[in-house]
Amino acid sequence: MFSPNHFLQKLNHQKNWRFIAIILIVATLAIACNNTKTTTTTSEIPTTLEPGTLVWARYRDSDTLDPHKSTSPLSRQIIDQIYDTLLAFDDQGKIQPNLAKEWSVNDNGKEYTFKLNENVKCHDGTTFDANAIKFTIDRAIDPETENYTKDSWGPIETVEVVDDLTVKVKMTEAFSPFPRFLADPYSSMICPSAIKTYNNKFGIDGVIGTGPFQFVEWTQGEQLVLKANPNYKNHGRPVENSGTPYIKKLVIKTMPEVESRLAALKSGEVHLIEPQITEVYNIKQDSNLKVYTAENTGQIVFFEFVTSRPPFNEKKARQAIAYGIDPKKATEEVFAGLAKPSECAIADVMFPNDEKLCSEFSIKPDQEEAKTLLSELGYSEDKPLEVTLLTWKGGNREKILENFQTQLEEVGIKANLETMDIGSLNARIKQENSQAEGNGVIDMMGWSWYDPDFLYTLWNSPSWMGGYHSDELDNLLVEMRTATNSNERQEKVLEVQKYLLDNAVMVPLYSPGWMWNYVSNSDVEGFKIGVFNRPQFNDVKLSTATDQKEAVKSPESSEKEEVEQPVNSEENLENKDAVSEKEAVEQEVNSEENLDKKDSVASPENE
């Protein structure tokens, strides 16, 4: 191996200083020339955007555009632009027609019938009909597809084509969440010609759907280009434009650096970004920028307990925690109104909910009651209850956990705090639930979903990560899942929540669980965010000045950066955007691997 020190020592021994000087000068020149070469590539030269092109810069790229192969919110955002769903959510989270102009369910809740709109065209010009619906659902539930959201389709037995525009879906048992799932992007309808065209590269090399935008090209890690679907006709999306989007192209750039995204937005190189939550206040002071905050996201953050051992196998211990905290006080101090305290176990947008009814049986802050329960369990000022309080990184969760820590200390509970990435948190919860000895453990968890059925995933035996479960709760959850009559189901949803809150199995804290903010420059008009955090571009228009601005530079602009990137990649994953809301959600969705690819987003990702 070449040793510079050995080489210089040898030259020193030979007193050949002139040679040393020559070597060093040549080496310096060589390095300088090499650096000049590596920092200059064609990707650094800005190109002029085509008129009507909107550039959206995100912190990370999608993993795939196949709706059956991803649970990433970054993929979900784009899937929603390319495909359509049979049903749709309105702005309040209620389902309405979309590709299917009408639907019905029979009396026993086991058979759904869908009537399709006429003349729906795929991006390649082929007709989207009842056979395409059957093709999509058969593929989604086929075990060989390895679909991460397979369980959300329910216990489907057969899919029958009645005629070109009618499909019957038969279940082995009633499954009430099914219609709401058919409004979620993970149930997107695929054109059969797409699989024939791209085979096992479908979702990567190309995709074919019926949505407002169609696939053009994708350089993974750099940019994805979509163009407006000239034949698009909107049947159910909550937008004003009923036809082709006004913008001609949608370019999604990958720009990992927070500062780079914001600088590019201010310079006009990009039109839309997702900022760090800590920057939102400052951004709002800039009159040239517009901030959009996602509402009705379906997210809920709550406390859950390790119940395999004392003290939280005791109902009183769990109730003491619920009485000992004040989520309203904590959210006001930490989130300044960006999140609201929750008394129900589900977010309002998931299902017709009634906070007043939840308030009747939820546990209210009461420090004296907390102290009384702790005393009955044998704890006192001299012998405080010591617990471990866990959560995942990002989204100011560390700060709100510190707030709860202080509140619990006031009632005689010593809480030791630990924060970690979401994957580690899920693994830790599973490990703690399997142990019969150890300190009491509470974790602050968050879930995001479109339907109360996530409560079934959480608590039906053997329950999520082996946590709390009971026969009584199991029966209530099954009844909730199989009640297809809307009034009956609403009653069952309330019964499940009453059990969870009465027994302090789940202590609701606040919603939304993590902030989704978007920022555009003033040239963007008509952008909106649908329920469950779905960016809508159908109504977007750009000013004339925007059309003439230059494109943003590629995020990987030099060979030097490509060399440095692998060195920094581990640090980037842990630190770069991990402190931002977007990174937290991405980590959350990736925790699906810890759920054996189940389809709820456990914070997450439980997006």
Side-chain angles (χ1 to χ4, degrees):
M1 180 180 292
F2 175 76
S3 169
N5 290 335
H6 177 72
F7 179 64
L8 290 175
Q9 289 173 2
K10 182 176 181 181
L11 288 176
N12 183 52
H13 178 73
Q14 295 174 347
K15 305 296 183 183
N16 197 345
W17 294 108
R18 181 176 297 176
F19 183 67
I20 294 175
I22 293 172
I23 289 294
L24 291 176
I25 291 171
V26 170
T28 301
L29 289 173
I31 292 171
C33 292
N34 187 55
N35 282 345
T36 300
K37 179 181 179 181
T38 57
T39 56
T40 304
T41 68
T42 56
S43 63
E44 286 192 340
I45 303 173
T47 58
T48 302
L49 289 174
E50 295 180 28
T53 298
L54 184 144
V55 181
W56 176 16
R58 306 190 303 169
Y59 71 98
R60 190 180 291 175
D61 204 354
S62 303
D63 56 359
T64 176
L65 302 179
D66 182 344
H68 300 157
K69 295 292 186 182
S70 178
T71 55
S72 164
L74 293 172
S75 291
R76 184 175 180 268
Q77 288 177 331
I78 309 306
I79 286 169
D80 197 28
Q81 312 306 322
I82 297 174
Y83 306 91
D84 262 321
T85 49
L86 287 180
L87 305 178
F89 289 116
D90 67 11
D91 285 330
Q92 285 72 48
K94 297 178 182 178
I95 53 174
Q96 60 188 19
N98 195 22
L99 288 177
K101 64 181 180 180
E102 59 184 71
W103 76 98
S104 61
V105 58
N106 70 350
D107 292 340
N108 64 18
K110 296 182 181 182
E111 183 176 292
Y112 289 86
T113 302
F114 300 92
K115 289 275 190 178
L116 187 65
N117 280 291
E118 297 179 359
N119 300 320
V120 177
K121 296 293 183 182
C122 296
H123 295 152
D124 61 352
T126 57
T127 299
F128 184 88
D129 57 13
N131 290 298
I133 297 175
K134 175 176 171 56
F135 174 84
T136 297
I137 299 177
D138 284 345
R139 180 179 187 265
I141 64 176
D142 185 345
E144 292 188 5
T145 302
E146 297 182 344
N147 180 7
Y148 297 162
T149 59
K150 178 180 179 294
D151 288 348
S152 290
W153 293 89
I156 294 176
E157 184 176 26
T158 60
V159 182
E160 299 178 4
V161 174
V162 178
D163 57 45
D164 287 348
L165 299 176
T166 309
V167 167
K168 284 188 184 294
V169 178
K170 296 183 178 180
M171 306 273 186
T172 57
E173 59 185 11
F175 185 67
S176 57
F178 185 51
R180 292 184 64 81
F181 176 65
L182 294 180
D184 186 85
Y186 291 130
S187 73
S188 292
M189 294 290 111
I190 297 170
C191 293
S193 55
I195 307 300
K196 295 178 182 178
T197 302
Y198 298 109
N199 296 310
N200 60 349
K201 290 293 185 178
F202 169 70
I204 302 296
D205 285 356
V207 294
I208 301 173
T210 64
F213 292 91
Q214 58 192 70
F215 181 92
V216 176
E217 61 181 0
W218 186 13
T219 303
Q220 288 187 294
E222 294 185 15
Q223 74 173 25
L224 169 67
V225 180
L226 308 178
K227 68 178 181 180
N229 175 6
N231 299 312
Y232 185 69
K233 184 175 181 181
N234 179 39
H235 293 287
R237 291 174 185 256
V239 295
E240 295 181 7
N241 180 9
S242 62
T244 302
Y246 299 124
I247 57 174
K248 295 180 180 179
K249 281 190 177 180
L250 177 59
V251 177
I252 301 95
K253 290 273 187 181
T254 300
M255 299 183 70
E257 294 288 349
V258 177
E259 296 81 3
S260 297
R261 294 198 300 273
L262 186 56
L265 179 70
K266 290 181 176 180
S267 70
E269 294 176 343
V270 306
H271 307 98
L272 184 72
I273 67 168
E274 295 155 68
Q276 284 183 295
I277 189 173
T278 53
E279 293 295 321
V280 170
Y281 176 79
N282 292 331
I283 292 172
K284 284 184 176 180
Q285 311 312 306
D286 190 332
S287 60
N288 295 316
L289 303 177
K290 301 176 185 178
V291 177
Y292 313 81
T293 298
E295 299 179 354
N296 294 328
T297 58
Q299 303 160 348
I300 182 87
V301 172
F302 54 91
F303 278 160
E304 60 180 354
F305 306 87
V306 170
T307 57
S308 61
R309 59 179 185 262
F312 297 123
N313 59 342
E314 290 276 353
K315 177 180 175 179
K316 287 183 178 180
R318 301 192 300 270
Q319 289 177 326
I321 298 296
Y323 281 118
I325 61 170
D326 187 344
K328 185 176 187 294
K329 180 175 183 291
T331 52
E332 287 176 351
E333 292 177 357
V334 177
F335 294 123
L338 289 176
K340 296 180 180 179
S342 299
E343 289 195 85
C344 291
I346 64 174
D348 289 347
V349 72
M350 285 187 193
F351 196 74
N353 213 10
D354 192 332
E355 285 281 349
K356 291 182 180 179
L357 287 176
C358 293
S359 183
E360 291 179 6
F361 46 76
S362 63
I363 294 176
K364 307 295 188 298
D366 188 334
Q367 291 188 338
E368 293 307 313
E369 182 65 22
K371 292 176 182 177
T372 298
L373 290 172
L374 290 170
S375 176
E376 292 175 2
L377 291 169
Y379 299 102
S380 63
E381 198 172 311
D382 296 329
K383 183 189 173 184
L385 171 61
E386 186 168 347
V387 301
T388 301
L389 191 51
L390 310 171
T391 197
W392 80 104
K393 295 178 180 178
N396 272 9
R397 280 180 286 274
E398 294 90 342
K399 289 184 179 179
I400 201 165
L401 211 62
E402 290 172 0
N403 198 294
F404 287 133
Q405 179 187 44
T406 301
Q407 294 180 14
L408 291 172
E409 186 176 357
E410 292 174 357
V411 299
I413 299 173
K414 181 181 179 181
N416 302 304
L417 308 185
E418 294 185 37
T419 59
M420 59 202 71
D421 66 83
I422 187 63
S424 298
L425 177 62
N426 288 338
R428 174 71 175 275
I429 295 168
K430 186 173 184 179
Q431 178 188 31
E432 294 286 356
N433 280 328
S434 68
Q435 296 176 349
E437 296 181 355
N439 278 349
V441 173
I442 312 168
D443 70 89
M444 189 170 78
M445 182 55 67
W447 284 68
S448 175
W449 205 229
Y450 56 84
D451 188 86
D453 193 58
F454 85 96
L455 296 175
Y456 181 94
T457 304
L458 267 177
W459 308 116
N460 186 62
S461 298
S463 77
W464 183 73
M465 297 296 176
Y468 181 94
H469 57 272
S470 75
D471 292 342
E472 182 182 355
L473 180 56
D474 284 350
N475 291 333
L476 290 172
L477 290 166
V478 170
E479 289 174 1
M480 180 186 75
R481 187 175 237 207
T482 56
T484 53
N485 176 278
S486 59
N487 291 332
E488 182 186 358
R489 188 169 192 239
Q490 190 164 4
E491 181 182 329
K492 296 301 180 184
V493 169
L494 193 63
E495 286 181 19
V496 168
Q497 292 189 84
K498 186 177 187 301
Y499 182 98
L500 293 171
L501 301 180
D502 275 347
N503 292 278
V505 175
M506 178 179 179
V507 181
L509 300 175
Y510 61 90
S511 181
W514 38 95
M515 308 300 122
W516 281 92
N517 294 290
Y518 300 80
V519 180
S520 75
N521 57 34
S522 58
D523 297 320
V524 177
E525 298 177 358
F527 176 74
K528 68 175 288 188
I529 311 167
V531 295
F532 306 111
N533 185 34
R534 293 167 72 167
Q536 304 283 357
F537 294 94
N538 301 57
D539 295 333
V540 171
K541 295 180 181 179
L542 301 175
S543 71
T544 304
T546 302
D547 294 339
Q548 298 172 356
K549 291 179 181 177
E550 293 179 327
V552 66
K553 299 175 184 178
S554 169
E556 295 185 1
S557 58
S558 69
E559 294 176 19
K560 182 173 181 288
E561 289 177 356
E562 291 178 357
V563 172
E564 290 178 346
Q565 201 277 335
V567 178
N568 295 329
S569 61
E570 183 175 354
E571 179 183 348
N572 290 343
L573 286 174
E574 294 179 356
N575 300 323
K576 203 170 273 184
D577 274 349
V579 297
S580 74
E581 288 304 327
K582 304 296 131 350
E583 180 69 13
V585 176
E586 177 69 5
Q587 290 175 340
E588 289 159 4
V589 172
N590 288 339
S591 74
E592 297 303 334
E593 294 177 4
N594 297 301
L595 293 169
D596 296 325
K597 301 301 181 186
K598 288 198 175 180
D599 47 356
S600 293
V601 181
S603 316
E605 270 112 14
N606 307 341
E607 209 132 54

